[in-house]
Structures are given as structure tokens and as C-alpha cells.
Amino acid sequence: MATPELVPGLAGIPAAESSISYIDGQKGLLAYRGYSIEELAEKSNFEEVSRLLVHGELPTPEEHERFSALLRENRGLSERMLDVIRALPGNGHPMDALQASMAALGMFSRARDYRDPAQRDEAIVRIIGAMPVLVAAFERFRSGEDFIPPDPSLDTAANFLWMLTGEKPDPLAARVLDVALILHADHTMNASTFTARVVGSTEADPFTVVASAVGSLTGPLHGGANERVLRDLETVSGVEEVPDFVEGRLATKGKLMGFGHRVYKVKDPRAVILQGLARELFEKLGRTPLYDVAVRLEEEVVSRLGHKGIHPNVDFYSGFVYSKLGIPVDDFTPIFAIARTSGWLAHWREQMQDNRIFRPGQVYSGEHGRSYVPIDQR
Ligand code: SDX
């Protein structure tokens, strides 16, 4: 039982004042800068949403054009950066490669001082522009393929698919990925965003802030869940096996990946939209047999744990979208990171406008007043 002062995981404890995104966990609502996620998913695009998150307002046509052009101008990787990524072990996880290459990218950049508005804004577009390129470069190298340079005629989502395959993406595939990036772009004070704010509060540079947040997102309780969902589903032979699978996982006090949330106590609104996107892709590209298992799994888990507020979260259906787009399973979390970079940088910028270094307290439960005992007397 936690002592009165201690709140495990800081559950519900405000760590900052923010105007970037808002969640209503009981009603299943999410909004970025006051605009509902449903409306943004339907009417906006990832590059516009990224600028909205960072600067707070929907851009004018000129502002949107300028921001998109800056993102395209900032996709380039030097030969030395490509050598860094080539040198990473191909059997390593793409999230580890992303964390390492983001830190290295910062070493090559001069835009590191948040106090200089020009450097701050330069770092923001450099990091958002380069993230997809870092992910695609590692994917190509570990597959024994050559790097495919970014195509300036394509927006962020379409260019990412281009850099993975060297083929201009199907418009539906590009649009679906663009919406998935919108859905993952921000989510109030989640663990990786909190990490970004903590590291930023020490006045570390923005590349280090993002590399730290990538590390936090790697964990299977956070961003890494989307990869685990598909791997879990692959162990279930058919819908008739689902009850035993759930029973087995719960009997060992295990977690069902893609379910539950610290804030949402109903189905994550992003899961609702991602499920719809998955079905849209199935109509065009063919159904995935695992999808029926997933729908049955949702029914089974909600029937057993729904009373505890456990429902599908953003990670439960995202994997169906990404695998239908031909994206390798262990690249799912890097895609989450590509999207969330806009949120991390929006929070970093907000934190630095009125910064105080994070330094929480603790409840001490250790010993007091002990005297040293020489080792030959122990
Ligand atoms: C993301 O914070 C964000 O906003 C994150 C995110 C974002 O956009 O940034 O939304 C993205 O990280 C989504 C979550 C992805 N993670 C998973 O799908 C992993 C599985 N989920 C669980 O680990 C869990 O639900 C968490 C981590 C998401 C939330 O954990 P909490 O709030 O700390 O809840 P808890 O672990 O204290 O669980 C409360 C109870 C426990 O049962 P009791 O001990 O009270 O009997 O609910 C149970 C838990 O055992 N429970 C689950 C469960 N989640 C909670 N039981 C089985 N399977 C689960 N998934």
C-alpha cells in the first residue's frame, strides 16, 4: 500500500501546465490545440498537425507551404551520418538504431541552443524532417539494400514509404499512413513526453531530448506494445483459441498488449479510427486473417476486464495498418516515434518557455545512522 505522499507512477499528478493536447479518459476524447482528433484525422495532414502542435494555430497557406518546404529541406543525411547508420548492427532493434542515430545527428548539428529562437526553430524542423529518413535508412541497410534518398515532391508519409521501397506509394497507402501519424503525434503527459520535458528541463539540447524520448518509447508498456500485439496474435491459431490465450496470459499476471491505459477507461478514440483505417486497407488490399482473431480478442478481453476500464488502446489496431502497408513489425514503434517527435518537440518548446528543472521528492524507506563495519568483521 503506497504511503499517503507517494503516488506510484505519478498517476494523475500534474507535472506541467500545457495547452498542446487534451484527453477525456471517461468520454474517450482527444484534441490537439482544441481541435478533435477525429476532425484532424479527416481534414488535416501530418505536416499541418505538426506545425499546429508546435506553434499552436492552424497555419495560413503560406505558413503551411513554408513549414512543409523546411521539412523537405531538412531530410538530408550526410555521407558521414549514413556511415554511422550503416555501422550499427543490422540485428539490433530499429528503436535502438533510431536512438543512436538521433544522438549522432545532433553531434553534426549546430542548432542546439534553445535560448536562440532561430536555433530552436531550426532544430525542430531538422529533427521532424530527418526522423523518417533515419528510420528508413536503417531499414534499408539492415536489409542489405542501398539508401534511397528522400523525394522532395512527396510529403512526410508518402516519402517514408518511398524510402522504404523505392516505389511511389499507392495514394490510399500514403493517406492511411499520414492519418496514422496524425493519431500518434501527441498525447498529453505520457511517459516519453514526460521524459522529453525532464531532459529538456536540464537545458540539454533538442536532439538529446528526442533521443531520450525515443528510449522511453521503446518500452513494451508504452510504444513497444504495437509490435508485441502482432507477435501475440501470431501465437493464437484461430478465434476458437482466444479464450484460452487470454486465460493463460491473465493466469500468469501477464499484460495483454494493446489493452488498458492510464487515462482512457473506454476504447481509445485512436484505436477506433485505426480499426477503420485497417478495414479500409483490407477492402483494397485483402483481409488479414489475424484481424478476425483481433476482433474476437477485443470481445473476450472487454468482457472480462472492461469493468476495470480495460479496452483497446492506440497500439491494438495500428499493427494491422502498418503490416498491410508492408512495414516490418519491428518498424512499428519507430513509426510511432516519427509521429510523436512533433509532440515531444512541442512539449520541449513549451517547457523551455517557462522552465524549472524537474527534481521531484521521494518517500525514504531506507535505514538511518548506520556505522561502517570493516570487511574483515562482516
Ligand atoms: C501507449 O500514456 C499514454 O498516453 C501512452 C500512449 C500514448 O499515446 O503515448 O497512449 C501510448 O503507451 C498505450 C499503452 C500501450 N501499452 C500496452 O498496451 C501494454 C499493456 N497495457 C498495460 O501495461 C497498462 O494498461 C498500461 C501500462 C498501459 C497502463 O498501466 P497502469 O495505468 O499503470 O495500470 P496498472 O498496470 O496499474 O493496472 C491496473 C489494473 C491491474 O490489475 P489489478 O492489479 O488492479 O488487479 O489493470 C490491470 C492490472 O493488472 N491491467 C491489465 C492490463 N492493463 C492493466 N491486465 C491485463 N492486461 C492489460 N493490458
Side-chain angles (χ1 to χ4, degrees):
M1 179 60 185
T3 56
E5 305 82 19
L6 183 64
V7 179
L10 297 177
I13 302 293
E17 180 173 350
S18 179
S19 57
I20 298 169
S21 58
Y22 174 78
I23 297 173
D24 181 323
Q26 300 305 325
K27 295 178 185 163
L29 304 179
L30 168 61
Y32 296 162
R33 299 289 189 180
Y35 298 95
S36 77
I37 194 67
E38 290 81 7
E39 200 167 19
L40 291 173
E42 184 194 338
K43 299 173 182 173
S44 188
N45 57 74
F46 176 66
E47 293 180 358
E48 181 178 73
V49 165
S50 293
R51 195 184 185 287
L52 170 67
L53 288 169
V54 170
H55 294 288
E57 298 297 334
L58 286 174
T60 62
E62 297 72 28
E63 288 168 337
H64 180 53
E65 190 57 43
R66 176 81 187 116
F67 189 75
S68 288
L70 281 171
L71 292 183
R72 285 161 171 70
E73 288 162 24
N74 280 277
R75 289 172 176 168
L77 298 182
S78 65
E79 268 312 307
R80 287 184 67 193
M81 254 316 293
L82 291 173
D83 286 344
V84 167
I85 301 170
R86 266 190 207 95
L88 297 172
N91 62 347
H93 195 286
M95 281 297 277
D96 296 335
L98 181 56
Q99 185 176 40
S101 48
M102 175 51 63
L105 189 75
M107 295 173 77
F108 288 108
S109 171
R110 65 181 184 285
R112 296 165 64 89
D113 183 357
Y114 82 93
R115 281 178 291 257
D116 173 354
Q119 286 190 48
R120 183 190 62 215
D121 291 346
E122 182 182 332
I124 287 172
V125 290
R126 176 57 170 152
I127 294 169
I128 297 174
M131 277 291 269
V133 191
L134 298 176
V135 175
F138 181 72
E139 179 52 42
R140 295 289 294 181
F141 292 150
R142 75 164 180 174
S143 309
E145 306 283 352
D146 292 333
F147 172 65
I148 296 176
D151 179 338
S153 71
L154 299 175
D155 70 11
T156 299
N159 178 58
F160 179 67
L161 294 173
W162 154 257
M163 291 189 296
L164 285 182
T165 63
E167 291 161 23
K168 294 291 166 64
D170 171 282
L172 172 65
R175 175 62 189 150
V176 164
L177 179 60
D178 190 76
V179 174
L181 293 177
I182 291 173
L183 297 174
H184 286 82
D186 196 55
H187 211 241
T188 74
M189 203 55 65
N190 59 88
S192 54
T193 298
F194 183 47
T195 302
R197 292 189 82 126
V198 169
V199 174
S201 78
T202 71
E203 297 188 3
D205 71 272
F207 296 85
T208 303
V209 165
V210 171
S212 306
V214 168
S216 173
L217 191 69
T218 301
L221 294 190
H222 188 17
N226 56 14
E227 175 183 339
R228 303 293 180 95
V229 170
L230 258 291
R231 297 199 193 285
D232 271 358
L233 289 170
E234 282 161 359
T235 68
V236 183
S237 57
V239 291
E240 66 288 341
E241 293 291 310
V242 164
D244 287 348
F245 169 75
V246 172
E247 184 55 42
R249 183 63 58 92
L250 295 181
T252 56
K253 277 286 182 199
K255 301 281 198 224
L256 290 146
M257 292 292 119
F259 288 92
H261 199 276
R262 176 65 58 78
V263 181
Y264 290 124
K265 299 310 166 191
V266 294
K267 187 167 180 175
D268 186 325
R270 300 167 297 175
V272 174
I273 298 171
L274 283 161
Q275 188 175 6
L277 291 176
R279 282 204 291 257
E280 208 176 320
L281 283 173
F282 296 157
E283 278 160 30
K284 173 145 190 176
L285 306 175
R287 200 171 175 83
T288 300
L290 281 182
Y291 178 76
D292 298 320
V293 174
V295 172
R296 179 70 190 84
L297 181 57
E298 176 178 351
E299 286 165 9
E300 185 68 16
V301 173
V302 172
S303 71
R304 295 177 62 134
L305 300 173
H307 68 283
K308 292 168 82 169
I310 294 170
H311 294 266
N313 59 47
V314 67
D315 290 305
F316 189 60
Y317 286 107
S318 57
F320 287 98
V321 170
Y322 301 147
S323 53
K324 258 304 164 212
L325 297 178
I327 292 165
V329 173
D330 57 2
D331 279 337
F332 291 359
T333 309
I335 292 174
F336 192 152
I338 288 169
R340 189 54 56 88
T341 294
S342 301
W344 291 333
L345 289 169
H347 281 271
W348 167 70
R349 192 169 182 275
E350 185 177 68
Q351 175 69 30
M352 302 319 287
Q353 284 163 351
D354 181 17
N355 181 45
R356 186 161 188 234
I357 188 170
F358 278 93
R359 205 303 185 195
Q362 66 169 14
V363 171
Y364 180 65
S365 55
E367 307 279 346
H368 288 285
R370 304 171 92 182
S371 301
Y372 185 78
V373 177
I375 191 163
D376 56 7
Q377 296 173 31
R378 290 177 211 158

